[in-house]
Amino acid sequence: MRQPSEQRRRLLQAGLAAPLISTLPVIAHAAVRPNAHVLPIPATIQQAAAQYFGEPLTAVMTSSSIALKVPSIAENGAVVPVTVMGDSGIVTELAVFVEKNRQPLAGICRLHNRTDLNVGFRLKLSRTSDVYVIAKTADGLIGERQAVKVTIGCMGG
Amino acid sequence: MSVNYTVRNSLKFRIGDEERGQVFKALIKHPMETGLRRDRRTNAFVPADYIRDLSVHVDNQLCFALVWNENVSKNPFLTFAFSPPIHEGQTIRVAWTDNLDRTMAHETVIKFSPQGFFAFDGQGDGQPEVTETVKVVPLSKKDQPACDKQVSD
């Protein structure tokens, strides 16, 4: 069809004209560093915590304040539902990472007055990897991780 | 609050009571391109096009702020819980901006249906979503994406 391909050509032209480094706009409500997108990609969860939150992790994997719910075998790697549940009185902010994606950071949630910590969305996984969540509490950072196997629908090509 | 993403029915959300409290569920129609996918015909990268930040305000007070990037699925789904629950007559505003600087916002007053939930089923006007019809050609063995083929390990 003529119309979609013209639109695609225009999109491609716009994409080439876009700046090479995309910078995260400064959001007044995010306590995570505003230049999160241009920082180098962290290799481990410790580096991720240090980069995005500026603090080392105090407790990894065993923490009763947050629970990470993600399927251990994902039917479709392009749509992997992740839910983070926990005590919103303790946790103010959380960041979800997918370890082996090109850009590990998947999302940052900041909770304000009316919301409970019961947040879910869907991720794209490029291959079998770990999904982890780092939450910021008053006492420091806590993390939780879960391995997800992906069999079909991987991102990339 | 300028809106320049005009795909029809691009936002649907529902506020209802579940066991975990009063739950907000939203489904947004958005391509969420990673920028790593190649167009099958031209072999050029499809440019990145994803929602970057999303915010939910109740009565002009920021309730929930989300920063996403290309790792979130196409047509993103979002859910969270309100506590204390929202009551009728409050105004809820959902707004998002994507990396190509398009914005979408919708503000509405809550009115619960007799069944006890509030549903907003999208804006009726706007352009229809462009869906490309490409003839699907099966990939040859060497072009298949590198996924783990074994399930049990």
Side-chain angles (χ1 to χ4, degrees):
Chain A
M1 280 168 55
R2 192 164 270 273
Q3 209 179 3
S5 70
E6 274 175 9
Q7 205 153 0
R8 200 169 266 274
R9 221 176 293 130
R10 264 185 263 130
L11 252 184
L12 283 172
Q13 282 169 9
L16 290 170
L20 287 173
I21 297 176
S22 56
T23 53
L24 188 71
V26 175
I27 306 162
H29 52 255
V32 178
R33 288 179 186 170
N35 58 346
H37 281 200
V38 299
L39 292 175
I41 293 168
T44 62
I45 186 173
Q46 308 286 346
Q47 279 185 24
Q51 271 183 14
Y52 297 112
F53 290 94
E55 300 170 26
L57 279 180
T58 52
V60 180
M61 285 204 329
T62 51
S63 160
S64 53
S65 298
I66 56 169
L68 171 67
K69 197 173 99 169
V70 68
S72 51
I73 296 178
E75 331 174 310
N76 186 357
V79 183
V80 178
V82 62
T83 314
V84 182
M85 294 168 285
D87 190 350
S88 61
I90 297 177
V91 173
T92 51
E93 187 167 346
L94 48 96
V96 179
F97 297 88
V98 179
E99 188 175 7
K100 296 206 179 118
N101 275 3
R102 182 111 141 207
Q103 160 66 264
L105 176 68
I108 303 168
C109 306
R110 179 124 171 106
L111 306 163
H112 290 265
N113 44 358
R114 287 196 88 110
T115 44
D116 225 358
L117 180 52
N118 205 322
V119 177
F121 50 94
R122 297 185 189 152
L123 302 175
K124 274 185 191 160
L125 259 59
S126 66
R127 65 193 79 130
T128 292
S129 86
D130 283 2
V131 171
Y132 47 89
V133 59
I134 301 179
K136 185 182 180 75
T137 66
D139 304 322
L141 298 180
I142 50 178
E144 188 80 41
R145 121 191 270 159
Q146 162 92 26
V148 179
K149 263 199 212 298
V150 174
T151 50
I152 54 166
C154 298
M155 202 166 73
Chain B
M1 200 173 76
S2 67
V3 173
N4 56 6
Y5 183 81
T6 51
V7 170
R8 190 185 297 162
N9 291 332
S10 65
L11 171 69
K12 282 191 205 181
F13 66 88
R14 183 186 185 100
I15 298 174
D17 282 318
E18 285 178 22
E19 309 125 19
R20 52 187 177 121
Q22 193 187 51
V23 165
F24 171 97
K25 291 194 242 192
L27 188 67
I28 302 162
K29 244 190 224 182
H30 194 279
M32 301 295 275
E33 288 287 350
T34 58
L36 301 172
R37 194 171 66 90
R38 284 186 185 272
D39 184 351
R40 193 80 70 87
R41 286 177 298 169
T42 66
N43 210 36
F45 285 113
V46 176
D49 180 6
Y50 51 86
I51 291 179
R52 189 167 260 168
D53 48 321
L54 188 145
S55 59
V56 178
H57 295 250
V58 169
D59 279 346
N60 281 328
Q61 270 195 326
L62 179 63
C63 266
F64 186 70
L66 198 52
V67 171
W68 272 339
N69 63 2
E70 62 264 21
N71 287 327
V72 180
S73 312
K74 178 177 174 166
N75 296 338
F77 173 75
L78 167 70
T79 174
F80 63 89
F82 282 115
S83 87
I86 293 194
H87 46 263
E88 276 207 15
Q90 292 195 293
T91 313
I92 187 165
R93 178 164 95 237
V94 179
W96 54 256
T97 310
D98 71 9
N99 72 325
L100 300 177
D101 288 326
R102 289 179 293 194
T103 54
M104 217 295 287
H106 189 85
E107 183 161 8
T108 180
V109 176
I110 306 261
K111 184 176 183 311
F112 289 115
S113 73
Q115 288 85 22
F117 62 88
F118 169 78
F120 169 68
D121 277 335
Q123 317 149 262
D125 49 359
Q127 312 154 13
E129 188 182 9
V130 173
T131 46
E132 174 110 3
T133 48
V134 177
K135 188 170 158 219
V136 176
V137 175
L139 294 173
S140 61
K141 264 258 158 74
K142 66 174 175 67
D143 286 338
Q144 281 188 0
C147 297
D148 296 69
K149 297 280 195 301
Q150 299 169 15
V151 173
S152 58
D153 248 315

